[in-house]
Amino acid sequence: MWFRYYIEALDDPKVQQLSAEQFRMWVNLLCIAAKNGGKMPSDSDCAFALRLDIETFHETFSALHDAGLFDKEVGRDSHTEPH
């Protein structure tokens, strides 16, 4: 499976202001979302897939959410998805 990545990310300040660690996690989370029909699985499942402890996942994911790269409580099922 693959997902489409837009070259506009090169000029997107939200993306380009990420740290290297945050950027890596963002791209990996895009892959995880693509594997799950565009929705993020649970935090613990994401942390496991990224081989991170849950605290590190929450800390970095919070920065990605605050940067506007993920939306929480979307739709009737209140899922999280990439913005």
Side-chain angles (χ1 to χ4, degrees):
M1 173 177 275
W2 63 277
F3 69 90
R4 183 174 295 183
Y5 187 84
Y6 293 95
I7 61 172
E8 288 83 5
L10 181 63
D11 298 314
D12 186 332
K14 292 187 294 188
V15 173
Q16 293 304 315
Q17 292 176 11
L18 297 174
S19 69
E21 177 185 351
Q22 292 167 341
F23 181 81
R24 179 178 168 198
M25 184 170 166
W26 176 64
V27 171
N28 286 330
L29 288 174
L30 293 176
C31 294
I32 290 170
K35 285 177 63 174
N36 289 282
K39 298 178 181 181
M40 299 302 298
S42 70
D43 289 358
S44 60
D45 287 345
C46 287
F48 175 78
L50 298 170
R51 310 305 190 261
L52 298 172
D53 61 74
I54 195 70
E55 294 81 18
T56 301
F57 172 79
H58 282 149
E59 181 181 310
T60 307
F61 184 81
S62 291
L64 297 175
H65 176 260
D66 293 347
L69 296 171
F70 287 91
D71 298 323
K72 294 182 178 180
E73 301 182 16
V74 178
R76 290 183 181 194
D77 61 353
S78 295
H79 65 272
T80 299
E81 64 183 31
H83 182 74

